[in-house]
Amino acid sequence: MIRIDGVLVSPGEGGVYGERMLKGYRVWDPYRSKLAALVHSGKAPDLLFGMVVLYLGAANGTTVSHVADYVDTVYAVEYAPRPMQDLLEVARRRKNVVPIFGDATRPSGYASIVESVDLLYQDVAQPDQVGIFMKNAAFLKESGIAVLMLKARSVDVRRDPAEITRETVAALEAGGFLVGHVCRLDPYHRDHAAIVVTRR
Amino acid sequence: MQHYWFGDVSDDGQCVQAPSDIAALASRFRSLHPDMAGLVVLSVDTAIACGWVPDRPEYIRRLRKVCIAIAEEEIATYYAQSDRELLQMVRMLDEMDSVVNLLSERATEWYIVRNPGFSRKYRAITAKKMVARMKGDSSTPLSRVAADIERISATRSALMRDVSSLADRVAPNCSALVGGLVAARLIAKAGGLRELASLPASTVQVIGAENALFTHLRSATPPPKHGIIFQHRRVHNAPKDLRGRVARVLAGKLAIAARIDYFRNEADPEFLESAQARIDGAGADT
């Protein structure tokens, strides 16, 4: 990952969402992107040139555009039509983004087009985030790494986020995954935790 | 046998390519729902071995074309639904309401600076009359602003009628029960007619009372009896101790009405009559 004077950036065509440019690089703001916040914590998996990424919950393609700057191919799955319009615009300009209008809770809907991936990145505002993760882990290579951005408020607004994080970690471990790193995304994103996972 | 977007691959590696034009590939993709349990995850090498593409860049290029075409079509279909525009109209209406209120409050303060002896106390001047009075203050900056506020209010009233008549068409049964405007607000809050039709009656009852509902869930406050449906006369005219019951019955009938609207999209006089009778009955003290 590239940093200029401590500022996280990505190489690529700018002007996607009005991001600042720094010496020709696109500034990747941890307050806007959870993955950037995780990188700031120092425990994010490196985005490498040859990687293939499955990105669940691509939304407006903001973070997707930065990921695409680093890796080989991004399969970006989004379910809602409105953000999909923006994601499509990003995909038209970035030739390594494959936009998929699909439902991450039903991976069989896109199983006929997604290849096996090095990185599974999940950022979905759904209650059953572990279930979605387990289903989509089918696409993850043996040596692959996964990042689960846990939105505790989407799981249950009434419960303590720390408790939900603990439960999620336990569920992942019971599901045959090795939880490498758990980190809260405060102060960049409230009530979010990033969980970095590999296969056992 | 594995079914991929570019073709079918048998277990011994035999491969049958799919037709290559984009429309055919898109419809093939829609029909494919491979079983996740028996899935052999696609490998681009298979597509190359199959002769589908010479290399990876070409593979991604073709896949992107198909995926973009599919997404464009899905988005177009989504926006073609009749309730999409209604949603925006309702939100615009609410936005205009608050804008008109904000502007007229600010303008009133301004008017008072220019007319130090003026006070609204004991004069029962509505916001509308107030704006008219400011407009009369000939050709000052304030009067120009007041004229604009009046214009926005007029546009707002026209929009309200449009919302109501569109709701009559999109959701005839809901509109017949609670009026076009309230029906439109319910649909907007739920996020669409399909969404409203899939909500349980208990949720329909408290749509629009989210603050009260979540305060109730967090602490020991009583649960809300009604949300948007309070605007229905049977609910707000009911004596306080019966309001909960009326709201509950109305919400129950609305939930059914929304389903009829979504699945049949035509008024059902028989249902409406019995529902109306039931709602009227709930308000009668027994």
Side-chain angles (χ1 to χ4, degrees):
Chain A
M1 312 289 250
I2 307 168
R3 284 170 198 257
I4 297 176
D5 302 333
V7 179
L8 182 67
V9 296
S10 73
E13 185 203 7
V16 179
Y17 56 98
E19 70 275 27
R20 257 184 339 116
M21 300 296 287
L22 200 62
K23 294 178 181 157
Y25 288 88
R26 304 170 60 219
V27 172
W28 193 356
D29 182 4
Y31 285 97
R32 289 199 62 158
S33 165
K34 271 161 246 133
L35 184 52
L38 177 61
V39 173
H40 272 262
S41 81
K43 298 291 174 62
D46 253 341
L47 297 174
L48 302 171
F49 175 67
M51 272 185 166
V52 178
V53 179
L54 175 57
Y55 192 124
L56 305 175
N60 297 283
T62 307
T63 303
V64 169
S65 70
H66 286 289
V67 176
D69 287 344
Y70 279 106
V71 304
D72 183 78
T73 309
V74 182
Y75 291 89
V77 178
E78 175 55 47
Y79 182 52
R82 178 65 193 86
M84 191 68 193
Q85 285 175 295
D86 291 335
L87 178 64
L88 271 185
E89 200 50 42
V90 172
R92 286 192 195 101
R93 298 284 199 103
R94 282 186 152 65
K95 307 293 183 197
N96 60 343
V97 175
V98 181
I100 299 173
F101 189 93
D103 181 353
T105 61
R106 292 185 180 82
S108 80
Y110 47 82
S112 64
I113 52 173
V114 175
E115 59 182 311
S116 49
V117 299
D118 304 290
L119 176 66
L120 170 61
Y121 181 84
Q122 176 178 320
D123 182 3
V124 296
Q126 291 289 326
D128 184 22
Q129 292 176 45
V130 175
I132 293 171
F133 176 83
M134 295 292 187
K135 283 183 222 165
N136 283 279
F139 299 109
L140 188 63
K141 284 179 187 164
E142 276 305 309
S143 58
I145 303 177
V147 176
L148 177 66
M149 290 296 175
L150 183 68
K151 292 170 182 280
R153 290 290 175 223
S154 299
V155 176
D156 192 336
V157 279
R158 292 159 60 192
R159 284 174 45 207
D160 175 27
E163 190 187 321
I164 292 171
T165 308
R166 274 197 299 279
E167 248 174 47
T168 307
V169 167
L172 286 169
E173 281 175 339
F177 291 91
L178 204 62
V179 175
H181 179 64
V182 182
C183 109
R184 292 172 53 179
L185 296 180
D186 295 287
Y188 303 114
H189 301 271
R190 280 183 59 196
D191 300 329
H192 281 76
I195 306 176
V196 182
V197 179
T198 51
R199 286 190 187 281
R200 183 167 286 157
Chain B
M1 182 78 102
Q2 295 292 324
H3 305 284
Y4 302 126
W5 68 282
F6 59 82
D8 301 327
V9 180
S10 68
D11 297 338
D12 54 355
Q14 294 296 314
C15 148
V16 182
Q17 291 188 17
S20 65
D21 71 294
I22 290 188
L25 284 170
S27 73
R28 176 182 165 82
F29 166 75
R30 283 207 189 81
S31 68
L32 287 180
H33 288 273
D35 180 14
M36 290 302 284
L39 178 76
V40 175
V41 178
L42 182 155
S43 152
V44 178
D45 293 340
T46 316
I48 296 171
C50 197
W52 174 250
V53 283
D55 54 15
R56 185 178 171 88
E58 176 62 15
Y59 173 87
I60 296 292
R61 202 184 65 79
R62 291 184 78 168
L63 177 57
R64 274 168 38 83
K65 262 194 184 164
V66 175
C67 284
I68 289 175
I70 292 168
E72 279 170 348
E73 209 182 305
E74 298 277 351
I75 290 170
T77 327
Y78 175 78
Y79 284 120
Q81 294 171 66
S82 55
D83 57 345
R84 290 298 121 191
E85 198 177 358
L86 181 64
L87 231 72
Q88 294 303 327
M89 285 164 74
V90 171
R91 287 174 191 164
M92 180 59 83
L93 185 66
D94 291 344
E95 216 66 62
M96 285 176 111
D97 268 344
S98 68
V99 164
V100 168
N101 283 338
L102 280 174
L103 287 180
S104 39
E105 266 172 49
R106 173 55 54 210
T108 305
E109 293 303 311
W110 186 354
Y111 180 80
I112 289 170
V113 171
R114 293 177 56 86
N115 302 272
F118 176 78
S119 165
R120 280 173 82 174
K121 283 279 171 287
Y122 303 108
R123 302 177 68 166
I125 304 177
T126 60
K128 206 172 169 187
K129 273 194 199 143
M130 196 63 218
V131 172
R133 177 190 279 258
M134 289 183 263
K135 203 176 125 197
D137 202 0
S138 65
S139 148
T140 58
L142 176 58
S143 76
R144 280 198 293 278
V145 170
D148 276 346
I149 298 175
E150 245 183 21
R151 256 199 301 279
I152 300 176
S153 323
T155 312
R156 185 219 164 262
S157 309
L159 182 61
M160 192 172 78
R161 285 190 293 276
D162 296 336
V163 165
S164 188
S165 68
L166 182 57
D168 282 343
R169 266 180 289 140
V170 171
N173 292 291
C174 289
S175 301
L177 284 184
V178 290
L181 201 59
V182 178
R185 288 224 156 90
L186 284 168
I187 293 171
K189 263 282 182 194
L193 182 56
R194 190 176 78 94
E195 285 76 2
L196 181 64
S198 53
L199 288 180
S202 52
T203 304
V204 175
Q205 189 182 343
V206 294
I207 287 180
E210 285 80 6
N211 276 341
L213 179 68
F214 286 114
T215 312
H216 162 67
L217 291 176
R218 276 203 204 91
S219 48
T221 60
K225 292 187 287 295
H226 34 58
I228 292 173
I229 60 171
F230 179 75
Q231 294 172 22
H232 185 50
R233 65 192 166 83
R234 285 284 175 211
V235 180
H236 67 240
N237 286 346
K240 228 174 169 187
D241 56 332
L242 285 182
R243 261 181 219 167
R245 182 163 81 194
V246 179
R248 194 172 62 240
V249 171
L250 177 61
K253 293 302 174 190
L254 266 172
I256 299 170
R259 283 159 218 195
I260 300 176
D261 285 334
Y262 178 65
F263 290 106
R264 260 190 273 156
N265 196 24
E266 59 183 19
D268 181 339
E270 205 176 307
F271 162 76
L272 285 175
E273 198 180 312
S274 72
Q276 203 62 63
R278 179 82 178 79
I279 295 162
D280 294 346
D285 209 349
T286 47

